[in-house]
Amino acid sequence: MQLRDAFFRHIAQTSDQPMGLEIDYASGCHLHTTDGRTFLDLISGIAVSSLGHRHPKVIDAIRGQLDRHLHVMVYGEFIQQPQSELAAELCRALPAQLSRVYFVNSGTEANEGALKLAKKSTGRSGLVAFRNSYHGDTHGSLSVTGRNIYRDPYMPLLPDVTFLDFNDMEQLGAITNETAAVILEPIQGEGGVIPADPAWLRAVRERCTETGTALIFDEIQTGFFRTGRLFAFEHYDVVPDILCMAKAMGGGMPIGAFISSDERFEAFKFDPPLNHVTTFGGHPVSCAASLATLRELQSGDYATKAENIQQLASDLLTGPGIVELRGRGAMLGLQLESADLTQRVVETCFQKGVILGWTLHSNSLIRIAPPLVIEEEELHQAFTLIRDTVRACCG
Ligand code: PMP
């Protein structure tokens, strides 16, 4: 059976229009197909391949771990070098109160764990989330995702969730002494690349501190230098009580984590013991890849690389059809005049070998999230192509 047939007949499809590229191999910023075409990846597998595809240091780390051990025991029982070293290095890079790491396999699992930790450590059940947010597709994360078309088919979801408008100061009184957690993305990704207003984020922090509510930052998309800092909260000078991450964390391998204080994590040890466990969370190969990714990101000048990407984008992506460029660093969204125009531009660029995309909640915005290692010349060409295509499509 041809691969294509197998894909369409036996892989569960998530839309009726998959891109359907038959991948042969990937390297740096490029995807190579079995029919000999090369594509420039301007979305990094949705904010995953920040170091490009198959970064040599990540590949070496994976190979090294393959020769030692794979899975050996459910999470939290045995001491495994890549896992413990990664936890220590992450905590070293974070404010002192973010001192303990729980490893999982994906973004949505990080949010699930964070919500449970907030509930158990506060003894409360109320959750506050924001319209237009995206936190993942398992039931808990979906319960705090702020877009009804994704929620309605799965009702009832978690009770006791209140949705507020992102960046609206007036509504923060809804966070009370009964709220276990507030969960938010410092820059909403799938909602259309919408940065939090700094004064509003500080006010959310203050309200959470006043009411004893755990503030959860979902940095699954913003983390690992995508916005020019290891985490986006560093731009804001606001520290969360629980920090969630995944995507770029593994350099292409599946891994996620939620990080909080020693005191808060006491809640997972007792009443009953083993109340939040995972078999594969913190898989040693993923941890080895993640450790290499973190070390590389911290030793190179990735902040400047991300800032240069934003600068070049704002220099080049202007003109007819373009409403606005939003975002920070290499997490950008190009707002066009209409959904129809966006679709034509994405399709034309795809035909010309550049992969772009939409965000889940917005079909008139082009997602731009290139690997941070992209060469300036190549980026220049890609942005020029996008600008000229927008112009041609609306002309
Ligand atoms: N939170 C945010 C902000 C995300 O962007 C995503 C994925 N797009 C998730 C959570 C879910 O992550 P995963 O697909 O790894 O479960």
Side-chain angles (χ1 to χ4, degrees):
M1 185 184 275
Q2 293 290 314
L3 272 188
R4 223 180 159 71
D5 289 342
F7 174 80
F8 281 104
R9 274 197 217 168
H10 298 300
I11 294 289
Q13 299 292 322
T14 54
S15 84
D16 55 4
Q17 286 178 319
M19 279 195 249
L21 281 186
E22 199 171 307
I23 299 298
D24 186 11
Y25 67 100
S27 175
C29 301
H30 298 101
L31 304 174
H32 303 271
T33 61
T34 49
D35 60 4
R37 288 178 296 162
T38 295
F39 287 85
L40 178 66
D41 182 0
L42 274 205
I43 52 176
S44 304
I46 317 298
V48 170
S49 325
S50 291
L51 291 178
H53 296 275
R54 290 172 49 245
H55 189 282
K57 290 188 180 158
V58 176
I59 297 295
D60 280 352
I62 292 171
R63 287 214 174 97
Q65 186 56 38
L66 290 180
D67 289 336
R68 297 185 64 205
H69 62 89
L70 301 180
H71 176 81
V72 282
M73 181 52 164
V74 295
Y75 182 65
E77 297 294 333
F78 290 177
I79 300 169
Q80 302 173 48
Q81 186 198 355
Q83 202 178 72
S84 301
E85 276 189 21
L86 174 59
E89 291 216 9
L90 280 168
C91 293
R92 225 182 346 261
L94 289 168
Q97 64 269 43
L98 296 172
S99 54
R100 211 166 271 275
V101 184
Y102 193 116
F103 287 117
V104 292
N105 305 286
S106 66
T108 197
E109 277 178 74
N111 288 336
E112 293 285 343
L115 294 172
K116 281 182 71 184
L117 181 64
K119 287 170 85 171
K120 188 121 192 313
S121 62
T122 59
R124 306 173 184 178
S125 62
L127 300 171
V128 168
F130 294 91
R131 296 199 177 85
N132 233 11
S133 62
Y134 179 79
H135 296 295
D137 278 343
T138 52
H139 271 84
S141 300
L142 186 59
S143 299
V144 288
T145 286
R147 185 103 187 284
N148 286 345
I149 57 163
Y150 292 111
R151 299 158 46 80
D152 287 348
Y154 301 101
M155 297 303 268
L157 292 167
L158 277 182
D160 226 355
V161 180
T162 306
F163 285 98
L164 309 181
D165 289 319
F166 197 65
N167 280 338
D168 188 333
M169 286 281 192
E170 305 296 307
Q171 299 179 21
L172 297 183
I175 303 166
T176 69
N177 292 340
E178 288 171 11
T179 314
V182 170
I183 183 166
L184 62 87
E185 303 151 83
I187 300 177
Q188 287 192 332
E190 300 309 317
V193 191
I194 299 170
D197 170 33
W200 175 79
L201 204 58
R202 279 196 298 277
V204 175
R205 172 68 277 180
E206 275 163 30
R207 186 73 193 145
C208 286
T209 305
E210 259 164 43
T211 55
T213 300
L215 177 57
I216 303 172
F217 280 0
D218 173 345
E219 292 237 26
I220 286 155
Q221 197 166 140
T222 48
F224 291 85
F225 279 97
R226 173 96 345 240
T227 72
R229 296 282 181 277
L230 182 56
F231 291 100
F233 76 79
E234 296 168 43
H235 296 294
Y236 288 95
D237 209 17
V238 171
V239 179
D241 299 305
I242 308 177
L243 176 66
C244 297
M245 61 200 69
K247 285 196 181 272
M249 178 180 185
M253 293 293 285
I255 187 169
F258 54 109
I259 303 187
S260 190
S261 63
D262 294 1
E263 304 82 68
R264 198 174 292 278
F265 266 117
E266 284 294 299
F268 272 180
K269 270 167 57 183
F270 308 107
D271 305 325
L274 302 176
N275 68 73
H276 191 76
V277 294
T278 166
T279 300
F280 283 127
H283 190 282
V285 178
S286 293
C287 284
S290 180
L291 188 56
T293 301
L294 180 62
R295 286 180 175 157
E296 173 59 24
L297 283 171
Q298 287 190 302
S299 63
D301 194 4
Y302 290 92
T304 307
K305 287 185 171 54
E307 278 152 21
N308 289 345
I309 290 170
Q310 182 173 13
Q311 187 58 52
L312 198 61
S314 51
D315 290 346
L316 292 177
L317 296 174
T318 56
I322 295 175
V323 176
E324 185 189 19
L325 178 74
R326 288 197 294 269
R328 186 126 200 189
M331 180 174 176
L332 298 170
L334 188 67
Q335 181 69 53
L336 300 188
E337 274 169 3
S338 69
D340 179 56
L341 175 61
T342 305
Q343 175 148 9
R344 276 185 291 149
V345 172
V346 170
E347 273 169 20
T348 308
C349 289
F350 182 76
Q351 298 307 332
K352 295 189 172 171
V354 174
I355 298 188
L356 300 167
W358 292 260
T359 64
L360 265 181
H361 302 343
S362 172
N363 57 7
S364 57
L365 183 101
I366 297 181
R367 185 202 300 273
I368 299 173
L372 303 174
V373 295
I374 192 164
E375 296 291 338
E376 186 170 334
E377 177 61 28
E378 195 149 36
L379 200 56
H380 200 288
Q381 281 172 15
F383 285 163
T384 306
L385 172 71
I386 295 169
R387 183 195 57 201
D388 293 349
T389 309
V390 176
R391 193 170 290 161
C393 287
C394 67

